Amino acid sequence: MYRIIDAPGVGKQLEILFHNHQIETINDLIFTFPKKYQSFKEDALLFAIDKTEVTVTGQLIDIPKIVNHRGTLKSVQFKLLVDNEVIKVIAYRREYLKESMTEHMTLTVKGKYEKKKRLITAQAVLLKPLETELKPIYQLDGIYDTTISKIVKKILDQQLVVINDDLPKVLVNKHHLMSKEEMVKTLHLPSSDERLVEALKRLKYEEALRFQYKMMYQKVHHELIFKKPKKYDLEQVKLFIQDIPFELTQDQKETVNDLFRDFKKNYPARRLIQGDVGSGKTIVVGIGVMGAKSAGYQSALMAPTEILAMQHYQFFKNALKNLNICLLTGSTKKKKELKEQIKHGVYDFVIGTHALVTDDVIFKNLGFVIIDEQHRFGVETRETLKEKGNADVVYLSATPIPRTLAIVLFGDMEVSIIKEKPIGRKEIITRYLSDQQLPSVFQHVNKELEKGNKAYFIAPSIESEERGTNVFSLFEEVQAAFSKYTVIMLHGKQSALEKQQAMEDFYQIKSSILVSTSVVEVGLDVKEATIMVITGAKYFGVSQLHQLRGRVGRSDVQSFCYVLSDESDIDRLQYFSKTSDGFQLSEYDLSKRGPGEFLGVRQSGSLRFEYADLGSDFDVFLKAKQDALWLLSNEKENQYYLNYQKLDLDET
Ligand code: ADP
Ligand code: MG
């Protein structure tokens, strides 16, 4: 392989500059694609819209004039013959150009076009005709784009690199993709918009395929692990369901069915249960725990925080009265004894935090694992838990993810969706107000506190001054206004213990107020909290606002949510205040803010896409998913693909 110094036109100095960008060989350079392209595409004047920017090339007719305007302002004015039409051009402050203009020369002009007057007010006048319409922008610090283009062109012209096609022919033909060589050439030296689009199409597809391949590889290999199908007692489960004091929603019933189908599989299932806040995921997995128990298995639930573990423990002790349930968290006393008992199968259901996996907990017969609010867990935690047996695993997520995205992001799992809310739920009354109306919101909060209820105040940041209200200044403001009541602060820079204490206090103390950043988002269930005030609301996505709003409305008492912001984001916040469906809001976020909002939902480095866009190239990801499965089932083609792709197949 040639070193970069061997490339035509590269000397010592350029070598160093390329080295700074990790470009060491000619190959490295050829596979460093432009970040974007600047377009000098010419417009057809006939179709140009009045008063928009156009780029045209034409021939100079007559002699340019210099015109004096007010003060020292001058302009050069001339006539161009463009598509058989005479266009007048004015270029202010470009009077010096006149000297360089020669009779009948060809000029390119970019500027605002006034159709009726046939006039272009030029921002740019190019005296040399352009070589290409599309100028590649590489964004390599210290190196001119034109320099790179020249070197790349020479390398390609002299055929100093061999570009093999790294995709099986079948796939190239199936999707009518350019050959690899053609793609590389086109990306560096695009001959037209159309060709560039074709080249990008292949580039995006390649990226999507790499991603889906890794995911499907995980899935296929996972399904080869053997698990004994669970023989649960259906009658017993039915009796249990009959005893639940409410009727399950249709979505809940279907999800319960999904869980029991998983039990019957001969490989450990991995399922994501997505439900809107308050849609009732907990009871659904409770039924699963019952089923596992009837088949002779233990279950385990992991929550992201001690508070949430405790919350679940209290709920399940009440809901699953016939089961032996224990709580195992960092602060559990007599851990050793408890672990001994878990090992001997004394407990049917172990509820806990991280301690559950990081410590040396051994189960007698673990069959069902629930991971609550799964986006808070890193990959490692999940892997450790998996090692504890061939259990069926469900991940619970309260962040509604647009359906399309879920298919891609969680392609290696089955997905159940609980959309419906239980009947009779009171809608949270939501109002969008301007920052200035905080005092009137205080009055409402005061009324709620007088009734013994609790309130949340949310700030978008911890310290940043630029972001308006930060949690400290909000805390001071709230404390001053509510001196009679306990005001508690919670934010991400506190220690785990401080956070724990803050949430504990908010649970325990009547009529208290929690001033917090968005760390409070996940799962916290304080029944007496009836009013949520979100300041600086424009800094949150509507999905995130919805999560925050879900902290109130946790009983049959009417709850309220105020979103406060300056006047800059009215439409979005008004939409939020009128919409209570989390899935609808997530679609809205996807369309307005792109998929970035949801990528955090799945913590994984492999989700940063360079070329493909999860929002607009969704169909590419779907095709790639099919193709990945095809590759994995086709020995020869799979080998061909893997020979070229350096895929790190161990990461999830
Ligand atoms: P989430 O999905 O946000 O975790 P939970 O599971 O905590 O929601 O459920 C919220 C509340 O709704 C709980 O008090 C639960 O008992 C109740 N609930 C769940 N399903 C139903 C239903 N079908 N009908 C009435 N209430 C229900
Ligand atoms: Mg929950």
Side-chain angles (χ1 to χ4, degrees):
M1 202 177 284
Y2 291 108
R3 290 170 311 148
I4 191 70
I5 188 84
D6 301 327
V10 178
K12 263 270 160 267
Q13 218 177 344
L14 265 179
E15 185 191 26
I16 293 166
L17 287 168
F18 277 126
H19 170 81
N20 292 342
H21 297 285
Q22 284 86 46
I23 296 170
E24 315 289 353
T25 65
I26 287 187
N27 247 51
D28 290 345
L29 179 61
I30 288 301
F31 287 96
T32 301
F33 301 131
K35 293 280 184 306
K36 57 185 184 190
Y37 300 84
Q38 198 176 16
S39 172
F40 278 98
K41 194 174 162 5
E42 280 179 33
D43 296 287
L45 278 185
L46 190 60
F47 303 113
I49 297 165
D50 192 30
K51 299 199 172 69
T52 58
E53 196 185 80
V54 295
T55 302
V56 294
T57 297
Q59 256 192 347
L60 188 63
I61 44 178
D62 291 350
I63 298 163
K65 279 186 298 195
I66 292 182
V67 179
N68 288 305
H69 302 273
R70 257 170 293 145
T72 56
L73 183 65
K74 290 179 185 174
S75 69
V76 61
Q77 306 193 357
F78 51 90
K79 286 179 186 150
L80 274 189
L81 187 65
V82 181
D83 301 335
N84 295 321
E85 246 188 279
V86 178
I87 301 295
K88 196 178 159 193
V89 179
I90 301 179
Y92 290 102
R93 294 191 183 85
R94 303 280 210 297
E95 61 278 7
Y96 56 86
L97 284 174
K98 185 182 171 196
E99 280 175 37
S100 320
M101 292 183 180
T102 53
E103 219 177 319
H104 304 306
M105 79 182 298
T106 305
L107 293 169
T108 298
V109 172
K110 191 179 187 128
K112 196 171 106 181
Y113 180 49
E114 287 170 77
K115 215 163 182 159
K116 276 211 192 94
K117 295 190 200 162
R118 294 187 197 290
L119 170 74
I120 294 175
T121 308
Q123 290 128 34
V125 179
L126 300 180
L127 300 179
K128 266 192 300 186
L130 284 167
E131 279 178 27
T132 49
E133 298 172 335
L134 288 163
K135 188 170 175 281
I137 313 284
Y138 289 87
Q139 288 179 342
L140 295 183
D141 243 10
I143 314 176
Y144 287 118
D145 291 317
T146 44
T147 306
I148 301 171
S149 288
K150 271 185 204 151
I151 297 167
V152 167
K153 187 167 184 325
K154 282 182 191 150
I155 293 172
L156 292 172
D157 285 348
Q158 297 175 25
Q159 302 187 339
L160 297 178
V161 280
V162 181
I163 301 170
N164 291 316
D165 207 305
D166 53 3
L167 287 177
K169 264 229 142 43
V170 185
L171 295 180
V172 174
N173 293 340
K174 181 178 165 193
H175 300 301
H176 310 287
L177 300 173
M178 272 182 174
S179 72
K180 184 80 173 191
E181 191 172 356
E182 191 65 29
M183 178 192 93
V184 171
K185 281 184 178 165
T186 308
L187 288 173
H188 287 296
L189 310 161
S191 55
S192 70
D193 274 358
E194 290 74 21
R195 297 299 288 162
L196 183 59
V197 168
E198 285 299 307
L200 288 171
K201 176 180 153 186
R202 169 156 180 158
L203 195 60
K204 288 174 179 186
Y205 171 79
E206 284 181 7
E207 186 174 39
L209 184 62
R210 271 195 300 276
F211 171 76
Q212 293 288 17
Y213 185 91
K214 278 200 230 175
M215 206 166 239
M216 291 304 118
Y217 177 90
Q218 299 285 337
K219 184 175 159 74
V220 166
H221 284 79
H222 182 78
E223 288 174 6
L224 294 176
I225 302 170
F226 179 75
K227 175 200 87 184
K228 244 168 60 182
K230 292 187 175 58
K231 292 190 184 129
Y232 51 84
D233 183 340
L234 190 61
E235 284 315 305
Q236 210 179 317
V237 174
K238 277 185 179 161
L239 282 176
F240 174 73
I241 293 176
Q242 272 169 24
D243 270 356
I244 297 174
F246 45 76
E247 169 84 9
L248 295 179
T249 63
Q250 193 56 32
D251 283 350
Q252 283 176 315
K253 284 181 194 163
E254 276 165 28
T255 306
V256 169
N257 283 338
D258 289 341
L259 289 184
F260 283 82
R261 264 198 295 276
D262 287 348
F263 286 165
K264 280 192 280 192
K265 286 174 182 159
N266 61 3
Y267 62 88
R270 287 201 264 174
R271 178 175 298 280
L272 172 76
I273 301 181
Q274 266 206 74
D276 207 344
V277 269
S279 62
K281 294 181 290 290
T282 321
I283 192 68
V284 168
V285 293
I287 297 166
V289 172
M290 275 300 302
K293 153 82 180 168
S294 77
Y297 291 92
Q298 290 170 294
S299 297
L301 183 149
M302 272 177 69
T305 64
E306 192 146 352
I307 291 265
L308 291 180
M310 214 125 67
Q311 224 170 253
H312 278 302
Y313 176 66
Q314 262 137 26
F315 174 84
F316 284 116
K317 255 181 63 155
N318 189 34
L320 310 175
K321 288 206 178 61
N322 300 328
L323 264 56
N324 265 333
I325 307 179
C326 73
L327 180 67
L328 179 64
T329 66
S331 63
T332 301
K333 306 216 170 66
K334 293 187 184 167
K335 269 202 202 89
K336 223 172 151 186
E337 258 181 75
L338 201 61
K339 283 180 195 169
E340 202 57 32
Q341 289 171 321
I342 294 169
K343 192 171 152 190
H344 288 100
V346 173
Y347 291 104
D348 307 309
F349 191 16
V350 181
I351 296 173
T353 50
H354 258 67
L356 201 68
V357 285
T358 49
D359 288 10
D360 47 0
V361 183
I362 299 162
F363 289 83
K364 181 167 182 237
N365 197 6
L366 184 63
F368 183 43
V369 173
I370 303 140
I371 301 187
D372 192 24
E373 307 298 352
Q374 63 89 29
H375 62 286
R376 293 278 295 258
F377 295 93
V379 172
E380 290 151 53
T381 312
R382 290 159 40 175
E383 296 307 305
T384 326
L385 229 169
K386 245 171 42 191
E387 282 165 20
K388 290 194 181 296
N390 288 347
D392 295 312
V393 179
V394 296
Y395 302 92
L396 301 182
S397 168
T399 309
I401 305 161
R403 201 183 163 68
T404 49
L405 276 189
I407 292 172
V408 172
L409 294 183
F410 297 95
D412 55 342
M413 304 182 195
E414 307 292 331
V415 179
S416 302
I417 294 180
I418 308 184
K419 228 175 179 158
E420 255 174 299
K421 295 239 174 80
I423 37 170
R425 273 295 155 74
K426 279 206 182 68
E427 214 155 273
I428 298 162
I429 295 174
T430 306
R431 295 255 182 285
Y432 160 49
L433 300 176
S434 93
D435 287 333
Q436 266 69 51
Q437 287 164 286
L438 192 59
S440 72
V441 174
F442 278 174
Q443 282 176 17
H444 188 171
V445 170
N446 206 38
K447 276 192 204 146
E448 292 296 316
L449 296 175
E450 274 169 17
K451 287 188 234 165
N453 294 332
K454 299 178 187 179
Y456 286 99
F457 279 84
I458 306 293
S461 76
I462 299 182
E463 326 184 280
S464 160
E465 303 201 353
E466 179 218 340
R467 282 197 132 198
T469 349
N470 68 52
V471 71
F472 296 109
S473 60
L474 184 63
F475 179 73
E476 276 170 25
E477 206 173 339
V478 172
Q479 219 174 17
F482 298 95
S483 48
K484 274 202 332 213
Y485 299 106
T486 308
V487 185
I488 304 152
M489 179 155 59
L490 175 69
H491 60 76
K493 288 220 173 122
Q494 289 169 326
S495 70
L497 206 69
E498 284 172 312
K499 280 188 240 173
Q500 183 82 23
Q501 188 63 51
M503 289 197 253
E504 195 72 49
D505 289 348
F506 188 52
Y507 258 108
Q508 303 297 345
I509 303 171
K510 206 176 161 199
S511 300
S512 54
I513 301 173
L514 188 68
V515 180
S516 170
T517 55
S518 60
V519 289
V520 80
E521 237 184 292
V522 176
L524 197 67
D525 185 26
V526 178
K527 297 252 182 301
E528 305 81 16
T530 54
I531 188 159
M532 163 65 68
V533 182
I534 305 169
T535 67
K538 69 169 174 180
Y539 293 112
F540 296 103
V542 292
S543 297
Q544 210 182 356
L545 289 173
H546 182 65
Q547 281 298 310
L548 291 168
R549 176 167 60 186
R551 296 308 108 225
V552 297
R554 310 226 125 226
S555 66
D556 50 11
V557 179
Q558 179 64 55
S559 288
F560 304 88
C561 174
Y562 287 99
V563 282
L564 299 171
S565 193
D566 57 24
E567 304 286 313
S568 62
D569 203 7
I570 299 172
D571 288 352
R572 210 169 56 92
L573 295 175
Q574 258 164 10
Y575 180 79
F576 168 72
S577 58
K578 282 190 226 113
T579 311
S580 59
D581 180 335
F583 283 91
Q584 217 170 309
L585 288 167
S586 77
E587 298 285 352
Y588 184 87
D589 254 348
L590 181 64
S591 71
K592 294 275 166 181
R593 291 165 65 118
E597 205 79 10
F598 304 98
L599 296 187
V601 168
R602 184 147 197 191
Q603 292 179 342
S604 167
S606 60
L607 283 179
R608 304 273 169 264
F609 297 108
E610 219 178 320
Y611 305 105
D613 180 273
L614 269 178
S616 54
D617 301 316
F618 175 69
D619 56 326
V620 182
F621 281 93
L622 272 192
K623 283 181 200 158
K625 185 173 174 179
Q626 291 312 314
D627 294 342
L629 286 170
W630 174 79
L631 281 172
L632 284 162
S633 64
N634 195 316
E635 177 87 42
K636 205 176 118 229
E637 306 287 1
N638 194 35
Q639 215 45 59
Y640 183 93
Y641 183 68
L642 285 181
N643 272 344
Y644 282 108
Q645 306 290 331
K646 288 166 199 73
L647 297 178
D648 181 4
L649 290 172
D650 285 338
E651 67 176 272
T652 309

